Each structure stands twice: as C-alpha cells, then as structure tokens.
Amino acid sequence: MIVPKHGLLCAARLRRQVPGVTRVIIARTDGIALYDDVPLEQRDGGAALTAAVLGLGETASSSLDLGTLQFGITMSAERCLVVYPIDGSHLLAIIAEVNVDLGALGAAGHHEVETLRSLSGVSMASL
C-alpha cells in the first residue's frame, strides 16, 4: 500500500539524484493527491491535472496502437512534466526545470516507479 511517507522518501531521492527536480506528486488516478511536496496553498489541482495527463497519454497510446504507456512528457518553455503510471490506481508525476537531464530523470523516475509498484504489490509484468 502506498502512503504519503513513500512520497516523501521518493521526492527526497529524486531531488538528490537529479538536479532540477522542482516538484513530486504521487496521486490516485481519480485525481486525489497522496503526496505533493509543495505548500498546501499551491496544491490545488496538481493531482487532478496529472491524472488527466496520464489518462490522455493512455488513451493516445491505446488509440494509436503504441502499446502500454510507460510515461508521458510535457515540455513547456520553463519546465517539464513527466507522468508515470504506477499501477491501475496510482501515478507518479515529476516536475523539473526544462534543462534537466532527461536521461537521468527518466532512469530515476523509472526506478522510483518500480519501488512504488513493489509497495503496491504490482509488478511490471502484470501491467
């Protein structure tokens, strides 16, 4: 079972491993936040928006016969958002500076997703 403490640990590891990470969100796919490392007054909508981004990515992957979504990246002029499905009910979203090393971010994010999947009892093979 994924709990808020797992988000705190995940965010700390990501920030330590990848310079430029500015926010980490662990949410349910229905848009409810389990963990968000910004102050409470900045949290409105983060979980809901990342759940929507994940849902759109999964729909696009399915509709375009791309296979199972591994992660989705949204780039803006100043930041990037990477959203990973953890299991059928949870997601990991990472916001980072636009100049972040995407290879390092991808590897660290994938590792964190595998860690979170083990906590939720889901393996990659079962997705």
PDB file of all heavy atoms in Angstrom, residues 30-71:
ATOM      1  N   ASP A  30      -7.760   8.869  -9.841  1.00  0.00           N
ATOM      2  CA  ASP A  30      -9.000   9.646  -9.812  1.00  0.00           C
ATOM      3  C   ASP A  30      -8.752  11.105  -9.446  1.00  0.00           C
ATOM      4  O   ASP A  30      -9.682  11.882  -9.288  1.00  0.00           O
ATOM      5  CB  ASP A  30     -10.025   9.018  -8.868  1.00  0.00           C
ATOM      6  CG  ASP A  30      -9.576   8.983  -7.417  1.00  0.00           C
ATOM      7  OD1 ASP A  30      -8.474   9.482  -7.099  1.00  0.00           O
ATOM      8  OD2 ASP A  30     -10.327   8.449  -6.582  1.00  0.00           O
ATOM      9  N   GLY A  31      -7.466  11.493  -9.323  1.00  0.00           N
ATOM     10  CA  GLY A  31      -7.113  12.886  -9.091  1.00  0.00           C
ATOM     11  C   GLY A  31      -6.963  13.298  -7.647  1.00  0.00           C
ATOM     12  O   GLY A  31      -6.840  14.482  -7.350  1.00  0.00           O
ATOM     13  N   ILE A  32      -6.923  12.347  -6.735  1.00  0.00           N
ATOM     14  CA  ILE A  32      -6.735  12.648  -5.306  1.00  0.00           C
ATOM     15  C   ILE A  32      -5.250  12.507  -4.971  1.00  0.00           C
ATOM     16  O   ILE A  32      -4.640  11.478  -5.246  1.00  0.00           O
ATOM     17  CB  ILE A  32      -7.560  11.687  -4.419  1.00  0.00           C
ATOM     18  CG1 ILE A  32      -9.044  11.749  -4.786  1.00  0.00           C
ATOM     19  CG2 ILE A  32      -7.326  11.980  -2.943  1.00  0.00           C
ATOM     20  CD1 ILE A  32      -9.696  13.093  -4.582  1.00  0.00           C
ATOM     21  N   ALA A  33      -4.676  13.547  -4.361  1.00  0.00           N
ATOM     22  CA  ALA A  33      -3.254  13.530  -4.011  1.00  0.00           C
ATOM     23  C   ALA A  33      -2.996  12.647  -2.801  1.00  0.00           C
ATOM     24  O   ALA A  33      -3.713  12.713  -1.805  1.00  0.00           O
ATOM     25  CB  ALA A  33      -2.765  14.942  -3.723  1.00  0.00           C
ATOM     26  N   LEU A  34      -1.955  11.820  -2.902  1.00  0.00           N
ATOM     27  CA  LEU A  34      -1.433  11.102  -1.739  1.00  0.00           C
ATOM     28  C   LEU A  34      -0.232  11.847  -1.179  1.00  0.00           C
ATOM     29  O   LEU A  34       0.004  11.844   0.023  1.00  0.00           O
ATOM     30  CB  LEU A  34      -1.013   9.685  -2.124  1.00  0.00           C
ATOM     31  CG  LEU A  34      -2.128   8.738  -2.518  1.00  0.00           C
ATOM     32  CD1 LEU A  34      -1.559   7.408  -2.965  1.00  0.00           C
ATOM     33  CD2 LEU A  34      -3.075   8.544  -1.353  1.00  0.00           C
ATOM     34  N   TYR A  35       0.532  12.459  -2.082  1.00  0.00           N
ATOM     35  CA  TYR A  35       1.703  13.221  -1.673  1.00  0.00           C
ATOM     36  C   TYR A  35       1.955  14.321  -2.701  1.00  0.00           C
ATOM     37  O   TYR A  35       1.838  14.089  -3.905  1.00  0.00           O
ATOM     38  CB  TYR A  35       2.948  12.327  -1.582  1.00  0.00           C
ATOM     39  CG  TYR A  35       4.183  13.133  -1.291  1.00  0.00           C
ATOM     40  CD1 TYR A  35       4.483  13.511   0.014  1.00  0.00           C
ATOM     41  CD2 TYR A  35       5.010  13.577  -2.304  1.00  0.00           C
ATOM     42  CE1 TYR A  35       5.584  14.307   0.287  1.00  0.00           C
ATOM     43  CE2 TYR A  35       6.120  14.361  -2.039  1.00  0.00           C
ATOM     44  CZ  TYR A  35       6.401  14.729  -0.737  1.00  0.00           C
ATOM     45  OH  TYR A  35       7.480  15.511  -0.475  1.00  0.00           O
ATOM     46  N   ASP A  36       2.284  15.498  -2.226  1.00  0.00           N
ATOM     47  CA  ASP A  36       2.684  16.612  -3.085  1.00  0.00           C
ATOM     48  C   ASP A  36       3.632  17.451  -2.251  1.00  0.00           C
ATOM     49  O   ASP A  36       3.286  17.861  -1.149  1.00  0.00           O
ATOM     50  CB  ASP A  36       1.454  17.414  -3.514  1.00  0.00           C
ATOM     51  CG  ASP A  36       1.744  18.414  -4.623  1.00  0.00           C
ATOM     52  OD1 ASP A  36       2.908  18.824  -4.776  1.00  0.00           O
ATOM     53  OD2 ASP A  36       0.786  18.802  -5.321  1.00  0.00           O
ATOM     54  N   ASP A  37       4.824  17.698  -2.765  1.00  0.00           N
ATOM     55  CA  ASP A  37       5.822  18.343  -1.915  1.00  0.00           C
ATOM     56  C   ASP A  37       5.842  19.870  -1.980  1.00  0.00           C
ATOM     57  O   ASP A  37       6.807  20.486  -1.540  1.00  0.00           O
ATOM     58  CB  ASP A  37       7.212  17.751  -2.156  1.00  0.00           C
ATOM     59  CG  ASP A  37       7.738  17.945  -3.557  1.00  0.00           C
ATOM     60  OD1 ASP A  37       7.075  18.589  -4.379  1.00  0.00           O
ATOM     61  OD2 ASP A  37       8.839  17.446  -3.830  1.00  0.00           O
ATOM     62  N   VAL A  38       4.781  20.475  -2.461  1.00  0.00           N
ATOM     63  CA  VAL A  38       4.681  21.931  -2.413  1.00  0.00           C
ATOM     64  C   VAL A  38       3.798  22.318  -1.225  1.00  0.00           C
ATOM     65  O   VAL A  38       3.045  21.489  -0.704  1.00  0.00           O
ATOM     66  CB  VAL A  38       4.108  22.512  -3.729  1.00  0.00           C
ATOM     67  CG1 VAL A  38       5.047  22.228  -4.889  1.00  0.00           C
ATOM     68  CG2 VAL A  38       2.722  22.001  -4.019  1.00  0.00           C
ATOM     69  N   PRO A  39       3.870  23.580  -0.806  1.00  0.00           N
ATOM     70  CA  PRO A  39       2.999  24.023   0.294  1.00  0.00           C
ATOM     71  C   PRO A  39       1.521  23.815  -0.042  1.00  0.00           C
ATOM     72  O   PRO A  39       1.120  23.838  -1.216  1.00  0.00           O
ATOM     73  CB  PRO A  39       3.327  25.514   0.427  1.00  0.00           C
ATOM     74  CG  PRO A  39       4.718  25.640  -0.121  1.00  0.00           C
ATOM     75  CD  PRO A  39       4.797  24.624  -1.228  1.00  0.00           C
ATOM     76  N   LEU A  40       0.724  23.643   0.979  1.00  0.00           N
ATOM     77  CA  LEU A  40      -0.687  23.319   0.836  1.00  0.00           C
ATOM     78  C   LEU A  40      -1.426  24.277  -0.102  1.00  0.00           C
ATOM     79  O   LEU A  40      -2.214  23.850  -0.938  1.00  0.00           O
ATOM     80  CB  LEU A  40      -1.355  23.307   2.210  1.00  0.00           C
ATOM     81  CG  LEU A  40      -2.794  22.845   2.274  1.00  0.00           C
ATOM     82  CD1 LEU A  40      -2.946  21.427   1.732  1.00  0.00           C
ATOM     83  CD2 LEU A  40      -3.305  22.914   3.709  1.00  0.00           C
ATOM     84  N   GLU A  41      -1.138  25.574  -0.013  1.00  0.00           N
ATOM     85  CA  GLU A  41      -1.858  26.551  -0.833  1.00  0.00           C
ATOM     86  C   GLU A  41      -1.526  26.439  -2.327  1.00  0.00           C
ATOM     87  O   GLU A  41      -2.232  26.963  -3.169  1.00  0.00           O
ATOM     88  CB  GLU A  41      -1.614  27.987  -0.350  1.00  0.00           C
ATOM     89  CG  GLU A  41      -0.176  28.448  -0.429  1.00  0.00           C
ATOM     90  CD  GLU A  41       0.669  28.118   0.797  1.00  0.00           C
ATOM     91  OE1 GLU A  41       0.180  27.426   1.712  1.00  0.00           O
ATOM     92  OE2 GLU A  41       1.821  28.550   0.829  1.00  0.00           O
ATOM     93  N   GLN A  42      -0.462  25.696  -2.676  1.00  0.00           N
ATOM     94  CA  GLN A  42      -0.082  25.509  -4.080  1.00  0.00           C
ATOM     95  C   GLN A  42      -0.554  24.168  -4.650  1.00  0.00           C
ATOM     96  O   GLN A  42      -0.313  23.883  -5.811  1.00  0.00           O
ATOM     97  CB  GLN A  42       1.438  25.603  -4.231  1.00  0.00           C
ATOM     98  CG  GLN A  42       2.006  26.948  -3.898  1.00  0.00           C
ATOM     99  CD  GLN A  42       3.524  26.953  -3.979  1.00  0.00           C
ATOM    100  OE1 GLN A  42       4.136  26.045  -4.512  1.00  0.00           O
ATOM    101  NE2 GLN A  42       4.133  27.992  -3.431  1.00  0.00           N
ATOM    102  N   ARG A  43      -1.211  23.367  -3.873  1.00  0.00           N
ATOM    103  CA  ARG A  43      -1.559  22.003  -4.289  1.00  0.00           C
ATOM    104  C   ARG A  43      -2.805  21.895  -5.151  1.00  0.00           C
ATOM    105  O   ARG A  43      -3.014  20.884  -5.797  1.00  0.00           O
ATOM    106  CB  ARG A  43      -1.724  21.107  -3.073  1.00  0.00           C
ATOM    107  CG  ARG A  43      -0.423  20.861  -2.385  1.00  0.00           C
ATOM    108  CD  ARG A  43      -0.572  19.910  -1.254  1.00  0.00           C
ATOM    109  NE  ARG A  43       0.686  19.860  -0.524  1.00  0.00           N
ATOM    110  CZ  ARG A  43       0.855  19.219   0.581  1.00  0.00           C
ATOM    111  NH1 ARG A  43      -0.140  18.542   1.124  1.00  0.00           N
ATOM    112  NH2 ARG A  43       2.023  19.226   1.180  1.00  0.00           N
ATOM    113  N   ASP A  44      -3.647  22.896  -5.145  1.00  0.00           N
ATOM    114  CA  ASP A  44      -4.916  22.798  -5.870  1.00  0.00           C
ATOM    115  C   ASP A  44      -4.710  22.334  -7.306  1.00  0.00           C
ATOM    116  O   ASP A  44      -4.012  22.960  -8.084  1.00  0.00           O
ATOM    117  CB  ASP A  44      -5.656  24.140  -5.882  1.00  0.00           C
ATOM    118  CG  ASP A  44      -6.306  24.460  -4.566  1.00  0.00           C
ATOM    119  OD1 ASP A  44      -6.367  23.566  -3.702  1.00  0.00           O
ATOM    120  OD2 ASP A  44      -6.749  25.606  -4.394  1.00  0.00           O
ATOM    121  N   GLY A  45      -5.337  21.255  -7.623  1.00  0.00           N
ATOM    122  CA  GLY A  45      -5.377  20.785  -8.995  1.00  0.00           C
ATOM    123  C   GLY A  45      -4.204  19.964  -9.479  1.00  0.00           C
ATOM    124  O   GLY A  45      -4.310  19.341 -10.528  1.00  0.00           O
ATOM    125  N   GLY A  46      -3.086  19.939  -8.783  1.00  0.00           N
ATOM    126  CA  GLY A  46      -1.918  19.193  -9.266  1.00  0.00           C
ATOM    127  C   GLY A  46      -2.211  17.722  -9.491  1.00  0.00           C
ATOM    128  O   GLY A  46      -1.882  17.165 -10.540  1.00  0.00           O
ATOM    129  N   ALA A  47      -2.836  17.095  -8.522  1.00  0.00           N
ATOM    130  CA  ALA A  47      -3.154  15.665  -8.647  1.00  0.00           C
ATOM    131  C   ALA A  47      -4.176  15.429  -9.748  1.00  0.00           C
ATOM    132  O   ALA A  47      -4.051  14.492 -10.544  1.00  0.00           O
ATOM    133  CB  ALA A  47      -3.657  15.114  -7.318  1.00  0.00           C
ATOM    134  N   ALA A  48      -5.181  16.294  -9.810  1.00  0.00           N
ATOM    135  CA  ALA A  48      -6.221  16.130 -10.828  1.00  0.00           C
ATOM    136  C   ALA A  48      -5.652  16.330 -12.231  1.00  0.00           C
ATOM    137  O   ALA A  48      -5.966  15.569 -13.161  1.00  0.00           O
ATOM    138  CB  ALA A  48      -7.365  17.101 -10.577  1.00  0.00           C
ATOM    139  N   LEU A  49      -4.808  17.335 -12.395  1.00  0.00           N
ATOM    140  CA  LEU A  49      -4.222  17.594 -13.713  1.00  0.00           C
ATOM    141  C   LEU A  49      -3.288  16.473 -14.148  1.00  0.00           C
ATOM    142  O   LEU A  49      -3.309  16.063 -15.318  1.00  0.00           O
ATOM    143  CB  LEU A  49      -3.480  18.928 -13.717  1.00  0.00           C
ATOM    144  CG  LEU A  49      -4.380  20.157 -13.688  1.00  0.00           C
ATOM    145  CD1 LEU A  49      -3.559  21.410 -13.442  1.00  0.00           C
ATOM    146  CD2 LEU A  49      -5.164  20.269 -14.972  1.00  0.00           C
ATOM    147  N   THR A  50      -2.481  15.974 -13.232  1.00  0.00           N
ATOM    148  CA  THR A  50      -1.573  14.894 -13.614  1.00  0.00           C
ATOM    149  C   THR A  50      -2.343  13.610 -13.916  1.00  0.00           C
ATOM    150  O   THR A  50      -1.951  12.861 -14.812  1.00  0.00           O
ATOM    151  CB  THR A  50      -0.486  14.661 -12.545  1.00  0.00           C
ATOM    152  OG1 THR A  50      -1.102  14.407 -11.272  1.00  0.00           O
ATOM    153  CG2 THR A  50       0.442  15.857 -12.433  1.00  0.00           C
ATOM    154  N   ALA A  51      -3.446  13.388 -13.212  1.00  0.00           N
ATOM    155  CA  ALA A  51      -4.288  12.227 -13.534  1.00  0.00           C
ATOM    156  C   ALA A  51      -4.894  12.377 -14.926  1.00  0.00           C
ATOM    157  O   ALA A  51      -4.976  11.402 -15.685  1.00  0.00           O
ATOM    158  CB  ALA A  51      -5.384  12.056 -12.483  1.00  0.00           C
ATOM    159  N   ALA A  52      -5.297  13.596 -15.272  1.00  0.00           N
ATOM    160  CA  ALA A  52      -5.848  13.846 -16.611  1.00  0.00           C
ATOM    161  C   ALA A  52      -4.787  13.642 -17.688  1.00  0.00           C
ATOM    162  O   ALA A  52      -5.063  13.039 -18.742  1.00  0.00           O
ATOM    163  CB  ALA A  52      -6.425  15.254 -16.686  1.00  0.00           C
ATOM    164  N   VAL A  53      -3.570  14.121 -17.437  1.00  0.00           N
ATOM    165  CA  VAL A  53      -2.470  13.937 -18.396  1.00  0.00           C
ATOM    166  C   VAL A  53      -2.194  12.445 -18.594  1.00  0.00           C
ATOM    167  O   VAL A  53      -2.020  11.981 -19.727  1.00  0.00           O
ATOM    168  CB  VAL A  53      -1.199  14.685 -17.933  1.00  0.00           C
ATOM    169  CG1 VAL A  53       0.023  14.271 -18.738  1.00  0.00           C
ATOM    170  CG2 VAL A  53      -1.409  16.187 -18.019  1.00  0.00           C
ATOM    171  N   LEU A  54      -2.160  11.698 -17.502  1.00  0.00           N
ATOM    172  CA  LEU A  54      -1.945  10.255 -17.598  1.00  0.00           C
ATOM    173  C   LEU A  54      -3.063   9.600 -18.405  1.00  0.00           C
ATOM    174  O   LEU A  54      -2.793   8.782 -19.294  1.00  0.00           O
ATOM    175  CB  LEU A  54      -1.854   9.624 -16.210  1.00  0.00           C
ATOM    176  CG  LEU A  54      -1.681   8.106 -16.193  1.00  0.00           C
ATOM    177  CD1 LEU A  54      -0.318   7.713 -16.748  1.00  0.00           C
ATOM    178  CD2 LEU A  54      -1.863   7.569 -14.789  1.00  0.00           C
ATOM    179  N   GLY A  55      -4.295   9.962 -18.126  1.00  0.00           N
ATOM    180  CA  GLY A  55      -5.425   9.391 -18.851  1.00  0.00           C
ATOM    181  C   GLY A  55      -5.359   9.686 -20.342  1.00  0.00           C
ATOM    182  O   GLY A  55      -5.609   8.799 -21.175  1.00  0.00           O
ATOM    183  N   LEU A  56      -4.987  10.913 -20.702  1.00  0.00           N
ATOM    184  CA  LEU A  56      -4.842  11.268 -22.116  1.00  0.00           C
ATOM    185  C   LEU A  56      -3.713  10.478 -22.773  1.00  0.00           C
ATOM    186  O   LEU A  56      -3.842  10.007 -23.902  1.00  0.00           O
ATOM    187  CB  LEU A  56      -4.598  12.768 -22.267  1.00  0.00           C
ATOM    188  CG  LEU A  56      -5.802  13.659 -22.011  1.00  0.00           C
ATOM    189  CD1 LEU A  56      -5.368  15.125 -21.966  1.00  0.00           C
ATOM    190  CD2 LEU A  56      -6.860  13.449 -23.071  1.00  0.00           C
ATOM    191  N   GLY A  57      -2.612  10.342 -22.059  1.00  0.00           N
ATOM    192  CA  GLY A  57      -1.495   9.562 -22.594  1.00  0.00           C
ATOM    193  C   GLY A  57      -1.867   8.109 -22.820  1.00  0.00           C
ATOM    194  O   GLY A  57      -1.516   7.520 -23.849  1.00  0.00           O
ATOM    195  N   GLU A  58      -2.583   7.526 -21.868  1.00  0.00           N
ATOM    196  CA  GLU A  58      -3.006   6.133 -22.011  1.00  0.00           C
ATOM    197  C   GLU A  58      -3.995   5.975 -23.162  1.00  0.00           C
ATOM    198  O   GLU A  58      -3.918   5.013 -23.924  1.00  0.00           O
ATOM    199  CB  GLU A  58      -3.603   5.620 -20.702  1.00  0.00           C
ATOM    200  CG  GLU A  58      -2.552   5.409 -19.638  1.00  0.00           C
ATOM    201  CD  GLU A  58      -3.106   5.015 -18.281  1.00  0.00           C
ATOM    202  OE1 GLU A  58      -4.279   5.333 -17.976  1.00  0.00           O
ATOM    203  OE2 GLU A  58      -2.349   4.390 -17.512  1.00  0.00           O
ATOM    204  N   THR A  59      -4.901   6.949 -23.322  1.00  0.00           N
ATOM    205  CA  THR A  59      -5.852   6.903 -24.431  1.00  0.00           C
ATOM    206  C   THR A  59      -5.137   7.025 -25.768  1.00  0.00           C
ATOM    207  O   THR A  59      -5.431   6.283 -26.715  1.00  0.00           O
ATOM    208  CB  THR A  59      -6.913   8.013 -24.278  1.00  0.00           C
ATOM    209  OG1 THR A  59      -7.622   7.803 -23.057  1.00  0.00           O
ATOM    210  CG2 THR A  59      -7.885   8.024 -25.448  1.00  0.00           C
ATOM    211  N   ALA A  60      -4.195   7.945 -25.858  1.00  0.00           N
ATOM    212  CA  ALA A  60      -3.431   8.112 -27.102  1.00  0.00           C
ATOM    213  C   ALA A  60      -2.627   6.864 -27.415  1.00  0.00           C
ATOM    214  O   ALA A  60      -2.595   6.398 -28.567  1.00  0.00           O
ATOM    215  CB  ALA A  60      -2.514   9.327 -27.004  1.00  0.00           C
ATOM    216  N   SER A  61      -1.963   6.300 -26.419  1.00  0.00           N
ATOM    217  CA  SER A  61      -1.173   5.082 -26.631  1.00  0.00           C
ATOM    218  C   SER A  61      -2.038   3.947 -27.146  1.00  0.00           C
ATOM    219  O   SER A  61      -1.655   3.225 -28.072  1.00  0.00           O
ATOM    220  CB  SER A  61      -0.484   4.650 -25.335  1.00  0.00           C
ATOM    221  OG  SER A  61       0.518   5.557 -24.984  1.00  0.00           O
ATOM    222  N   SER A  62      -3.205   3.794 -26.554  1.00  0.00           N
ATOM    223  CA  SER A  62      -4.116   2.731 -26.964  1.00  0.00           C
ATOM    224  C   SER A  62      -4.698   2.999 -28.355  1.00  0.00           C
ATOM    225  O   SER A  62      -4.692   2.120 -29.221  1.00  0.00           O
ATOM    226  CB  SER A  62      -5.240   2.605 -25.942  1.00  0.00           C
ATOM    227  OG  SER A  62      -6.212   1.693 -26.363  1.00  0.00           O
ATOM    228  N   SER A  63      -5.177   4.215 -28.574  1.00  0.00           N
ATOM    229  CA  SER A  63      -5.833   4.554 -29.841  1.00  0.00           C
ATOM    230  C   SER A  63      -4.884   4.509 -31.033  1.00  0.00           C
ATOM    231  O   SER A  63      -5.290   4.204 -32.152  1.00  0.00           O
ATOM    232  CB  SER A  63      -6.456   5.944 -29.751  1.00  0.00           C
ATOM    233  OG  SER A  63      -7.464   5.958 -28.779  1.00  0.00           O
ATOM    234  N   LEU A  64      -3.627   4.831 -30.802  1.00  0.00           N
ATOM    235  CA  LEU A  64      -2.650   4.857 -31.878  1.00  0.00           C
ATOM    236  C   LEU A  64      -1.818   3.576 -31.951  1.00  0.00           C
ATOM    237  O   LEU A  64      -0.801   3.534 -32.643  1.00  0.00           O
ATOM    238  CB  LEU A  64      -1.725   6.074 -31.719  1.00  0.00           C
ATOM    239  CG  LEU A  64      -2.429   7.432 -31.801  1.00  0.00           C
ATOM    240  CD1 LEU A  64      -1.482   8.550 -31.406  1.00  0.00           C
ATOM    241  CD2 LEU A  64      -3.021   7.650 -33.173  1.00  0.00           C
ATOM    242  N   ASP A  65      -2.253   2.547 -31.230  1.00  0.00           N
ATOM    243  CA  ASP A  65      -1.565   1.253 -31.211  1.00  0.00           C
ATOM    244  C   ASP A  65      -0.085   1.378 -30.860  1.00  0.00           C
ATOM    245  O   ASP A  65       0.778   0.757 -31.471  1.00  0.00           O
ATOM    246  CB  ASP A  65      -1.721   0.530 -32.557  1.00  0.00           C
ATOM    247  CG  ASP A  65      -3.158   0.127 -32.824  1.00  0.00           C
ATOM    248  OD1 ASP A  65      -3.850  -0.242 -31.857  1.00  0.00           O
ATOM    249  OD2 ASP A  65      -3.583   0.198 -33.994  1.00  0.00           O
ATOM    250  N   LEU A  66       0.209   2.183 -29.827  1.00  0.00           N
ATOM    251  CA  LEU A  66       1.586   2.378 -29.383  1.00  0.00           C
ATOM    252  C   LEU A  66       2.006   1.369 -28.325  1.00  0.00           C
ATOM    253  O   LEU A  66       3.176   1.296 -27.975  1.00  0.00           O
ATOM    254  CB  LEU A  66       1.764   3.795 -28.822  1.00  0.00           C
ATOM    255  CG  LEU A  66       1.441   4.946 -29.772  1.00  0.00           C
ATOM    256  CD1 LEU A  66       1.579   6.270 -29.037  1.00  0.00           C
ATOM    257  CD2 LEU A  66       2.327   4.894 -31.000  1.00  0.00           C
ATOM    258  N   GLY A  67       1.057   0.634 -27.788  1.00  0.00           N
ATOM    259  CA  GLY A  67       1.356  -0.290 -26.703  1.00  0.00           C
ATOM    260  C   GLY A  67       1.070   0.357 -25.365  1.00  0.00           C
ATOM    261  O   GLY A  67       0.460   1.424 -25.274  1.00  0.00           O
ATOM    262  N   THR A  68       1.527  -0.264 -24.312  1.00  0.00           N
ATOM    263  CA  THR A  68       1.287   0.216 -22.955  1.00  0.00           C
ATOM    264  C   THR A  68       2.109   1.473 -22.681  1.00  0.00           C
ATOM    265  O   THR A  68       3.312   1.507 -22.950  1.00  0.00           O
ATOM    266  CB  THR A  68       1.665  -0.866 -21.929  1.00  0.00           C
ATOM    267  OG1 THR A  68       0.913  -2.045 -22.219  1.00  0.00           O
ATOM    268  CG2 THR A  68       1.366  -0.415 -20.512  1.00  0.00           C
ATOM    269  N   LEU A  69       1.460   2.491 -22.145  1.00  0.00           N
ATOM    270  CA  LEU A  69       2.143   3.736 -21.810  1.00  0.00           C
ATOM    271  C   LEU A  69       3.167   3.483 -20.705  1.00  0.00           C
ATOM    272  O   LEU A  69       2.830   2.949 -19.650  1.00  0.00           O
ATOM    273  CB  LEU A  69       1.128   4.792 -21.351  1.00  0.00           C
ATOM    274  CG  LEU A  69       1.726   6.139 -20.959  1.00  0.00           C
ATOM    275  CD1 LEU A  69       2.225   6.883 -22.200  1.00  0.00           C
ATOM    276  CD2 LEU A  69       0.703   6.973 -20.213  1.00  0.00           C
ATOM    277  N   GLN A  70       4.404   3.878 -20.941  1.00  0.00           N
ATOM    278  CA  GLN A  70       5.460   3.776 -19.929  1.00  0.00           C
ATOM    279  C   GLN A  70       5.576   5.069 -19.130  1.00  0.00           C
ATOM    280  O   GLN A  70       5.784   5.048 -17.933  1.00  0.00           O
ATOM    281  CB  GLN A  70       6.802   3.455 -20.588  1.00  0.00           C
ATOM    282  CG  GLN A  70       6.791   2.150 -21.364  1.00  0.00           C
ATOM    283  CD  GLN A  70       6.517   0.959 -20.463  1.00  0.00           C
ATOM    284  OE1 GLN A  70       7.208   0.743 -19.486  1.00  0.00           O
ATOM    285  NE2 GLN A  70       5.482   0.214 -20.789  1.00  0.00           N
ATOM    286  N   PHE A  71       5.483   6.208 -19.837  1.00  0.00           N
ATOM    287  CA  PHE A  71       5.480   7.525 -19.210  1.00  0.00           C
ATOM    288  C   PHE A  71       5.116   8.542 -20.274  1.00  0.00           C
ATOM    289  O   PHE A  71       5.148   8.250 -21.467  1.00  0.00           O
ATOM    290  CB  PHE A  71       6.834   7.867 -18.568  1.00  0.00           C
ATOM    291  CG  PHE A  71       7.989   7.904 -19.526  1.00  0.00           C
ATOM    292  CD1 PHE A  71       8.357   9.078 -20.164  1.00  0.00           C
ATOM    293  CD2 PHE A  71       8.729   6.760 -19.782  1.00  0.00           C
ATOM    294  CE1 PHE A  71       9.421   9.106 -21.047  1.00  0.00           C
ATOM    295  CE2 PHE A  71       9.797   6.777 -20.658  1.00  0.00           C
ATOM    296  CZ  PHE A  71      10.136   7.951 -21.294  1.00  0.00           C
TER     297      PHE A  71
END
